[in-house]
Amino acid sequence: MNTKQEIEKIKEDVLTCKKCSLHKTRNCPVIGEGSYQAKIMFIGEAPGAQEDKSGSPFCGASGKILDGLLSSVGIKREEVYIANILKCRPPKNRDPQESEINICVPYLERQIEAIKPKVIYPLGRYSMNFLMEKFGLKEQIQQISKIHGKVF
């Protein structure tokens, strides 16, 4: 299966997912978007209200900040891949629950495997913790403000 086919399969699986209660309150799951050949992948925590309406990650206020940062270093949003730990918005933008993360993270792992980025940037403490544990760096986890900007 090629990358596009795998991403489409993940999309189908997420659209029909009912493994946790978040599917009951979502408008639109936010699966991810960007280049299937991206060398850079950004991983957020969960969709916000704007993302839940559009199905597009980082399309609200945080998306404008991300777009500005990318532009400032000469990278187009279309050249990267953007996904989230959770594909559905938690009610009232509450933090993701561990059980929800455990249920949803296999979709993200499949996205990482399909895209094969060279660099993955976490955008938040939940995505940072997930990535550091996934790549054997659990003992180096600290508050995000203490390790912000470090390369692992």
PDB file of all heavy atoms in Angstrom, residues 11-31 47 52-53 87-91 104 107:
ATOM      1  N   LYS A  11      -8.027   7.555   7.313  1.00  0.00           N
ATOM      2  CA  LYS A  11      -9.167   8.480   7.294  1.00  0.00           C
ATOM      3  C   LYS A  11     -10.481   7.707   7.402  1.00  0.00           C
ATOM      4  O   LYS A  11     -11.357   8.055   8.199  1.00  0.00           O
ATOM      5  CB  LYS A  11      -9.139   9.320   6.015  1.00  0.00           C
ATOM      6  CG  LYS A  11     -10.269  10.309   5.911  1.00  0.00           C
ATOM      7  CD  LYS A  11     -10.159  11.134   4.641  1.00  0.00           C
ATOM      8  CE  LYS A  11     -11.303  12.125   4.538  1.00  0.00           C
ATOM      9  NZ  LYS A  11     -11.202  12.952   3.326  1.00  0.00           N
ATOM     10  N   GLU A  12     -10.635   6.659   6.603  1.00  0.00           N
ATOM     11  CA  GLU A  12     -11.841   5.822   6.662  1.00  0.00           C
ATOM     12  C   GLU A  12     -12.034   5.247   8.064  1.00  0.00           C
ATOM     13  O   GLU A  12     -13.155   5.247   8.586  1.00  0.00           O
ATOM     14  CB  GLU A  12     -11.741   4.675   5.657  1.00  0.00           C
ATOM     15  CG  GLU A  12     -11.849   5.074   4.212  1.00  0.00           C
ATOM     16  CD  GLU A  12     -11.548   3.911   3.282  1.00  0.00           C
ATOM     17  OE1 GLU A  12     -11.723   2.734   3.687  1.00  0.00           O
ATOM     18  OE2 GLU A  12     -11.130   4.177   2.141  1.00  0.00           O
ATOM     19  N   ASP A  13     -10.965   4.755   8.651  1.00  0.00           N
ATOM     20  CA  ASP A  13     -11.037   4.150   9.981  1.00  0.00           C
ATOM     21  C   ASP A  13     -11.441   5.172  11.046  1.00  0.00           C
ATOM     22  O   ASP A  13     -12.235   4.868  11.936  1.00  0.00           O
ATOM     23  CB  ASP A  13      -9.708   3.489  10.352  1.00  0.00           C
ATOM     24  CG  ASP A  13      -9.383   2.283   9.489  1.00  0.00           C
ATOM     25  OD1 ASP A  13     -10.287   1.780   8.771  1.00  0.00           O
ATOM     26  OD2 ASP A  13      -8.222   1.834   9.513  1.00  0.00           O
ATOM     27  N   VAL A  14     -10.895   6.380  10.946  1.00  0.00           N
ATOM     28  CA  VAL A  14     -11.234   7.424  11.920  1.00  0.00           C
ATOM     29  C   VAL A  14     -12.684   7.864  11.738  1.00  0.00           C
ATOM     30  O   VAL A  14     -13.403   8.058  12.728  1.00  0.00           O
ATOM     31  CB  VAL A  14     -10.272   8.633  11.807  1.00  0.00           C
ATOM     32  CG1 VAL A  14     -10.757   9.801  12.639  1.00  0.00           C
ATOM     33  CG2 VAL A  14      -8.861   8.232  12.238  1.00  0.00           C
ATOM     34  N   LEU A  15     -13.124   8.011  10.511  1.00  0.00           N
ATOM     35  CA  LEU A  15     -14.496   8.451  10.251  1.00  0.00           C
ATOM     36  C   LEU A  15     -15.533   7.492  10.825  1.00  0.00           C
ATOM     37  O   LEU A  15     -16.630   7.914  11.194  1.00  0.00           O
ATOM     38  CB  LEU A  15     -14.725   8.640   8.751  1.00  0.00           C
ATOM     39  CG  LEU A  15     -14.054   9.859   8.128  1.00  0.00           C
ATOM     40  CD1 LEU A  15     -14.141   9.805   6.606  1.00  0.00           C
ATOM     41  CD2 LEU A  15     -14.666  11.147   8.654  1.00  0.00           C
ATOM     42  N   THR A  16     -15.198   6.227  10.925  1.00  0.00           N
ATOM     43  CA  THR A  16     -16.137   5.234  11.454  1.00  0.00           C
ATOM     44  C   THR A  16     -15.828   4.835  12.899  1.00  0.00           C
ATOM     45  O   THR A  16     -16.518   4.000  13.461  1.00  0.00           O
ATOM     46  CB  THR A  16     -16.145   3.969  10.572  1.00  0.00           C
ATOM     47  OG1 THR A  16     -14.829   3.406  10.543  1.00  0.00           O
ATOM     48  CG2 THR A  16     -16.605   4.289   9.154  1.00  0.00           C
ATOM     49  N   CYS A  17     -14.820   5.452  13.493  1.00  0.00           N
ATOM     50  CA  CYS A  17     -14.388   5.081  14.841  1.00  0.00           C
ATOM     51  C   CYS A  17     -15.446   5.450  15.888  1.00  0.00           C
ATOM     52  O   CYS A  17     -15.945   6.573  15.910  1.00  0.00           O
ATOM     53  CB  CYS A  17     -13.061   5.761  15.175  1.00  0.00           C
ATOM     54  SG  CYS A  17     -12.427   5.321  16.812  1.00  0.00           S
ATOM     55  N   LYS A  18     -15.711   4.489  16.762  1.00  0.00           N
ATOM     56  CA  LYS A  18     -16.617   4.707  17.899  1.00  0.00           C
ATOM     57  C   LYS A  18     -16.020   4.058  19.144  1.00  0.00           C
ATOM     58  O   LYS A  18     -16.745   3.586  20.020  1.00  0.00           O
ATOM     59  CB  LYS A  18     -17.996   4.130  17.580  1.00  0.00           C
ATOM     60  CG  LYS A  18     -18.678   4.887  16.467  1.00  0.00           C
ATOM     61  CD  LYS A  18     -20.067   4.397  16.210  1.00  0.00           C
ATOM     62  CE  LYS A  18     -20.701   5.366  15.277  1.00  0.00           C
ATOM     63  NZ  LYS A  18     -21.471   4.968  14.249  1.00  0.00           N
ATOM     64  N   LYS A  19     -14.693   4.055  19.216  1.00  0.00           N
ATOM     65  CA  LYS A  19     -14.004   3.377  20.306  1.00  0.00           C
ATOM     66  C   LYS A  19     -14.066   4.125  21.629  1.00  0.00           C
ATOM     67  O   LYS A  19     -13.840   3.548  22.671  1.00  0.00           O
ATOM     68  CB  LYS A  19     -12.539   3.129  19.913  1.00  0.00           C
ATOM     69  CG  LYS A  19     -12.390   2.168  18.756  1.00  0.00           C
ATOM     70  CD  LYS A  19     -10.930   1.998  18.375  1.00  0.00           C
ATOM     71  CE  LYS A  19     -10.794   1.082  17.170  1.00  0.00           C
ATOM     72  NZ  LYS A  19      -9.403   0.963  16.743  1.00  0.00           N
ATOM     73  N   CYS A  20     -14.314   5.435  21.572  1.00  0.00           N
ATOM     74  CA  CYS A  20     -14.475   6.213  22.804  1.00  0.00           C
ATOM     75  C   CYS A  20     -15.679   7.134  22.633  1.00  0.00           C
ATOM     76  O   CYS A  20     -16.238   7.241  21.544  1.00  0.00           O
ATOM     77  CB  CYS A  20     -13.213   6.991  23.169  1.00  0.00           C
ATOM     78  SG  CYS A  20     -12.942   8.492  22.196  1.00  0.00           S
ATOM     79  N   SER A  21     -16.054   7.817  23.683  1.00  0.00           N
ATOM     80  CA  SER A  21     -17.265   8.646  23.645  1.00  0.00           C
ATOM     81  C   SER A  21     -17.097   9.945  22.856  1.00  0.00           C
ATOM     82  O   SER A  21     -18.090  10.615  22.573  1.00  0.00           O
ATOM     83  CB  SER A  21     -17.721   8.965  25.064  1.00  0.00           C
ATOM     84  OG  SER A  21     -16.732   9.732  25.726  1.00  0.00           O
ATOM     85  N   LEU A  22     -15.895  10.315  22.479  1.00  0.00           N
ATOM     86  CA  LEU A  22     -15.699  11.582  21.774  1.00  0.00           C
ATOM     87  C   LEU A  22     -16.426  11.630  20.435  1.00  0.00           C
ATOM     88  O   LEU A  22     -16.802  12.706  19.975  1.00  0.00           O
ATOM     89  CB  LEU A  22     -14.209  11.877  21.577  1.00  0.00           C
ATOM     90  CG  LEU A  22     -13.410  12.165  22.848  1.00  0.00           C
ATOM     91  CD1 LEU A  22     -11.944  12.420  22.515  1.00  0.00           C
ATOM     92  CD2 LEU A  22     -14.001  13.324  23.621  1.00  0.00           C
ATOM     93  N   HIS A  23     -16.642  10.485  19.814  1.00  0.00           N
ATOM     94  CA  HIS A  23     -17.349  10.490  18.524  1.00  0.00           C
ATOM     95  C   HIS A  23     -18.778  11.010  18.654  1.00  0.00           C
ATOM     96  O   HIS A  23     -19.345  11.524  17.704  1.00  0.00           O
ATOM     97  CB  HIS A  23     -17.344   9.093  17.897  1.00  0.00           C
ATOM     98  CG  HIS A  23     -18.355   8.159  18.484  1.00  0.00           C
ATOM     99  ND1 HIS A  23     -18.128   7.471  19.644  1.00  0.00           N
ATOM    100  CD2 HIS A  23     -19.606   7.841  18.089  1.00  0.00           C
ATOM    101  CE1 HIS A  23     -19.190   6.740  19.930  1.00  0.00           C
ATOM    102  NE2 HIS A  23     -20.109   6.947  19.000  1.00  0.00           N
ATOM    103  N   LYS A  24     -19.330  10.936  19.855  1.00  0.00           N
ATOM    104  CA  LYS A  24     -20.713  11.359  20.066  1.00  0.00           C
ATOM    105  C   LYS A  24     -20.880  12.869  20.022  1.00  0.00           C
ATOM    106  O   LYS A  24     -21.962  13.360  19.706  1.00  0.00           O
ATOM    107  CB  LYS A  24     -21.218  10.840  21.409  1.00  0.00           C
ATOM    108  CG  LYS A  24     -21.298   9.334  21.486  1.00  0.00           C
ATOM    109  CD  LYS A  24     -21.705   8.905  22.885  1.00  0.00           C
ATOM    110  CE  LYS A  24     -21.660   7.395  23.015  1.00  0.00           C
ATOM    111  NZ  LYS A  24     -21.957   6.977  24.394  1.00  0.00           N
ATOM    112  N   THR A  25     -19.824  13.607  20.346  1.00  0.00           N
ATOM    113  CA  THR A  25     -19.933  15.066  20.426  1.00  0.00           C
ATOM    114  C   THR A  25     -19.167  15.792  19.317  1.00  0.00           C
ATOM    115  O   THR A  25     -19.229  17.012  19.253  1.00  0.00           O
ATOM    116  CB  THR A  25     -19.427  15.571  21.797  1.00  0.00           C
ATOM    117  OG1 THR A  25     -18.078  15.124  21.994  1.00  0.00           O
ATOM    118  CG2 THR A  25     -20.303  15.048  22.924  1.00  0.00           C
ATOM    119  N   ARG A  26     -18.500  15.062  18.464  1.00  0.00           N
ATOM    120  CA  ARG A  26     -17.734  15.724  17.405  1.00  0.00           C
ATOM    121  C   ARG A  26     -18.643  16.149  16.265  1.00  0.00           C
ATOM    122  O   ARG A  26     -19.693  15.537  16.021  1.00  0.00           O
ATOM    123  CB  ARG A  26     -16.637  14.798  16.881  1.00  0.00           C
ATOM    124  CG  ARG A  26     -17.168  13.691  15.982  1.00  0.00           C
ATOM    125  CD  ARG A  26     -16.070  12.796  15.466  1.00  0.00           C
ATOM    126  NE  ARG A  26     -16.606  11.800  14.564  1.00  0.00           N
ATOM    127  CZ  ARG A  26     -16.093  10.612  14.389  1.00  0.00           C
ATOM    128  NH1 ARG A  26     -15.015  10.251  15.069  1.00  0.00           N
ATOM    129  NH2 ARG A  26     -16.627   9.775  13.541  1.00  0.00           N
ATOM    130  N   ASN A  27     -18.222  17.196  15.581  1.00  0.00           N
ATOM    131  CA  ASN A  27     -18.853  17.572  14.318  1.00  0.00           C
ATOM    132  C   ASN A  27     -18.137  16.871  13.181  1.00  0.00           C
ATOM    133  O   ASN A  27     -18.749  16.276  12.310  1.00  0.00           O
ATOM    134  CB  ASN A  27     -18.797  19.088  14.105  1.00  0.00           C
ATOM    135  CG  ASN A  27     -19.734  19.817  15.028  1.00  0.00           C
ATOM    136  OD1 ASN A  27     -20.915  19.504  15.084  1.00  0.00           O
ATOM    137  ND2 ASN A  27     -19.220  20.772  15.770  1.00  0.00           N
ATOM    138  N   CYS A  28     -16.809  16.959  13.226  1.00  0.00           N
ATOM    139  CA  CYS A  28     -15.986  16.419  12.157  1.00  0.00           C
ATOM    140  C   CYS A  28     -14.648  15.985  12.746  1.00  0.00           C
ATOM    141  O   CYS A  28     -13.971  16.793  13.388  1.00  0.00           O
ATOM    142  CB  CYS A  28     -15.781  17.497  11.102  1.00  0.00           C
ATOM    143  SG  CYS A  28     -14.895  16.938   9.655  1.00  0.00           S
ATOM    144  N   PRO A  29     -14.253  14.730  12.571  1.00  0.00           N
ATOM    145  CA  PRO A  29     -12.932  14.363  13.076  1.00  0.00           C
ATOM    146  C   PRO A  29     -11.842  15.089  12.307  1.00  0.00           C
ATOM    147  O   PRO A  29     -12.007  15.425  11.140  1.00  0.00           O
ATOM    148  CB  PRO A  29     -12.859  12.851  12.846  1.00  0.00           C
ATOM    149  CG  PRO A  29     -13.824  12.580  11.754  1.00  0.00           C
ATOM    150  CD  PRO A  29     -14.897  13.634  11.858  1.00  0.00           C
ATOM    151  N   VAL A  30     -10.747  15.352  12.981  1.00  0.00           N
ATOM    152  CA  VAL A  30      -9.614  16.042  12.376  1.00  0.00           C
ATOM    153  C   VAL A  30      -8.506  15.008  12.212  1.00  0.00           C
ATOM    154  O   VAL A  30      -7.790  14.692  13.153  1.00  0.00           O
ATOM    155  CB  VAL A  30      -9.165  17.241  13.241  1.00  0.00           C
ATOM    156  CG1 VAL A  30      -7.982  17.942  12.602  1.00  0.00           C
ATOM    157  CG2 VAL A  30     -10.324  18.201  13.442  1.00  0.00           C
ATOM    158  N   ILE A  31      -8.394  14.498  11.023  1.00  0.00           N
ATOM    159  CA  ILE A  31      -7.495  13.373  10.781  1.00  0.00           C
ATOM    160  C   ILE A  31      -6.061  13.840  10.587  1.00  0.00           C
ATOM    161  O   ILE A  31      -5.145  13.278  11.154  1.00  0.00           O
ATOM    162  CB  ILE A  31      -8.011  12.547   9.586  1.00  0.00           C
ATOM    163  CG1 ILE A  31      -9.363  11.938   9.982  1.00  0.00           C
ATOM    164  CG2 ILE A  31      -7.029  11.450   9.223  1.00  0.00           C
ATOM    165  CD1 ILE A  31     -10.385  11.891   8.931  1.00  0.00           C
ATOM    166  N   PRO A  47      -8.229  18.541  18.471  1.00  0.00           N
ATOM    167  CA  PRO A  47      -8.873  19.634  17.747  1.00  0.00           C
ATOM    168  C   PRO A  47      -9.557  20.619  18.686  1.00  0.00           C
ATOM    169  O   PRO A  47     -10.079  20.234  19.731  1.00  0.00           O
ATOM    170  CB  PRO A  47      -9.921  18.919  16.888  1.00  0.00           C
ATOM    171  CG  PRO A  47      -9.525  17.486  16.860  1.00  0.00           C
ATOM    172  CD  PRO A  47      -8.784  17.235  18.125  1.00  0.00           C
ATOM    173  N   ASP A  52     -12.833  21.354  14.781  1.00  0.00           N
ATOM    174  CA  ASP A  52     -13.969  20.432  14.839  1.00  0.00           C
ATOM    175  C   ASP A  52     -15.023  20.786  13.791  1.00  0.00           C
ATOM    176  O   ASP A  52     -15.696  19.921  13.258  1.00  0.00           O
ATOM    177  CB  ASP A  52     -14.579  20.463  16.246  1.00  0.00           C
ATOM    178  CG  ASP A  52     -15.722  19.487  16.429  1.00  0.00           C
ATOM    179  OD1 ASP A  52     -15.534  18.279  16.168  1.00  0.00           O
ATOM    180  OD2 ASP A  52     -16.819  19.934  16.831  1.00  0.00           O
ATOM    181  N   LYS A  53     -15.152  22.055  13.470  1.00  0.00           N
ATOM    182  CA  LYS A  53     -16.114  22.493  12.452  1.00  0.00           C
ATOM    183  C   LYS A  53     -15.605  22.204  11.043  1.00  0.00           C
ATOM    184  O   LYS A  53     -16.374  21.843  10.155  1.00  0.00           O
ATOM    185  CB  LYS A  53     -16.398  23.987  12.588  1.00  0.00           C
ATOM    186  CG  LYS A  53     -17.225  24.327  13.799  1.00  0.00           C
ATOM    187  CD  LYS A  53     -17.397  25.825  13.919  1.00  0.00           C
ATOM    188  CE  LYS A  53     -18.099  26.161  15.224  1.00  0.00           C
ATOM    189  NZ  LYS A  53     -18.060  27.584  15.534  1.00  0.00           N
ATOM    190  N   LYS A  87      -8.200  12.660  17.440  1.00  0.00           N
ATOM    191  CA  LYS A  87      -8.810  13.056  16.178  1.00  0.00           C
ATOM    192  C   LYS A  87     -10.151  13.757  16.387  1.00  0.00           C
ATOM    193  O   LYS A  87     -10.682  14.356  15.463  1.00  0.00           O
ATOM    194  CB  LYS A  87      -9.008  11.836  15.271  1.00  0.00           C
ATOM    195  CG  LYS A  87      -7.735  11.016  15.037  1.00  0.00           C
ATOM    196  CD  LYS A  87      -6.589  11.851  14.536  1.00  0.00           C
ATOM    197  CE  LYS A  87      -5.356  10.999  14.257  1.00  0.00           C
ATOM    198  NZ  LYS A  87      -4.158  11.795  14.086  1.00  0.00           N
ATOM    199  N   CYS A  88     -10.703  13.671  17.593  1.00  0.00           N
ATOM    200  CA  CYS A  88     -11.979  14.306  17.918  1.00  0.00           C
ATOM    201  C   CYS A  88     -11.786  15.304  19.058  1.00  0.00           C
ATOM    202  O   CYS A  88     -10.959  15.086  19.949  1.00  0.00           O
ATOM    203  CB  CYS A  88     -13.014  13.264  18.347  1.00  0.00           C
ATOM    204  SG  CYS A  88     -13.359  12.015  17.086  1.00  0.00           S
ATOM    205  N   ARG A  89     -12.575  16.352  19.038  1.00  0.00           N
ATOM    206  CA  ARG A  89     -12.478  17.417  20.037  1.00  0.00           C
ATOM    207  C   ARG A  89     -13.053  16.967  21.377  1.00  0.00           C
ATOM    208  O   ARG A  89     -14.199  16.540  21.445  1.00  0.00           O
ATOM    209  CB  ARG A  89     -13.237  18.641  19.547  1.00  0.00           C
ATOM    210  CG  ARG A  89     -13.220  19.792  20.529  1.00  0.00           C
ATOM    211  CD  ARG A  89     -14.003  20.961  19.984  1.00  0.00           C
ATOM    212  NE  ARG A  89     -13.888  22.093  20.884  1.00  0.00           N
ATOM    213  CZ  ARG A  89     -14.917  22.746  21.392  1.00  0.00           C
ATOM    214  NH1 ARG A  89     -16.145  22.379  21.077  1.00  0.00           N
ATOM    215  NH2 ARG A  89     -14.723  23.757  22.195  1.00  0.00           N
ATOM    216  N   PRO A  90     -12.267  17.097  22.442  1.00  0.00           N
ATOM    217  CA  PRO A  90     -12.831  16.851  23.772  1.00  0.00           C
ATOM    218  C   PRO A  90     -13.827  17.960  24.114  1.00  0.00           C
ATOM    219  O   PRO A  90     -13.624  19.117  23.745  1.00  0.00           O
ATOM    220  CB  PRO A  90     -11.616  16.925  24.702  1.00  0.00           C
ATOM    221  CG  PRO A  90     -10.432  16.717  23.824  1.00  0.00           C
ATOM    222  CD  PRO A  90     -10.828  17.297  22.487  1.00  0.00           C
ATOM    223  N   PRO A  91     -14.921  17.617  24.793  1.00  0.00           N
ATOM    224  CA  PRO A  91     -15.910  18.641  25.151  1.00  0.00           C
ATOM    225  C   PRO A  91     -15.286  19.803  25.920  1.00  0.00           C
ATOM    226  O   PRO A  91     -14.414  19.609  26.773  1.00  0.00           O
ATOM    227  CB  PRO A  91     -16.897  17.885  26.041  1.00  0.00           C
ATOM    228  CG  PRO A  91     -16.713  16.443  25.685  1.00  0.00           C
ATOM    229  CD  PRO A  91     -15.274  16.302  25.275  1.00  0.00           C
ATOM    230  N   CYS A 104      -6.804   6.427  20.686  1.00  0.00           N
ATOM    231  CA  CYS A 104      -6.637   7.160  19.428  1.00  0.00           C
ATOM    232  C   CYS A 104      -5.216   7.121  18.863  1.00  0.00           C
ATOM    233  O   CYS A 104      -5.028   7.250  17.654  1.00  0.00           O
ATOM    234  CB  CYS A 104      -7.067   8.614  19.650  1.00  0.00           C
ATOM    235  SG  CYS A 104      -7.679   9.429  18.173  1.00  0.00           S
ATOM    236  N   TYR A 107      -3.897   5.476  15.470  1.00  0.00           N
ATOM    237  CA  TYR A 107      -4.098   6.177  14.193  1.00  0.00           C
ATOM    238  C   TYR A 107      -2.897   7.086  13.909  1.00  0.00           C
ATOM    239  O   TYR A 107      -2.391   7.135  12.790  1.00  0.00           O
ATOM    240  CB  TYR A 107      -5.372   7.020  14.214  1.00  0.00           C
ATOM    241  CG  TYR A 107      -6.641   6.218  14.404  1.00  0.00           C
ATOM    242  CD1 TYR A 107      -7.501   6.496  15.458  1.00  0.00           C
ATOM    243  CD2 TYR A 107      -6.988   5.194  13.521  1.00  0.00           C
ATOM    244  CE1 TYR A 107      -8.670   5.772  15.639  1.00  0.00           C
ATOM    245  CE2 TYR A 107      -8.157   4.463  13.697  1.00  0.00           C
ATOM    246  CZ  TYR A 107      -8.994   4.760  14.760  1.00  0.00           C
ATOM    247  OH  TYR A 107     -10.145   4.037  14.930  1.00  0.00           O
TER     248      TYR A 107
END
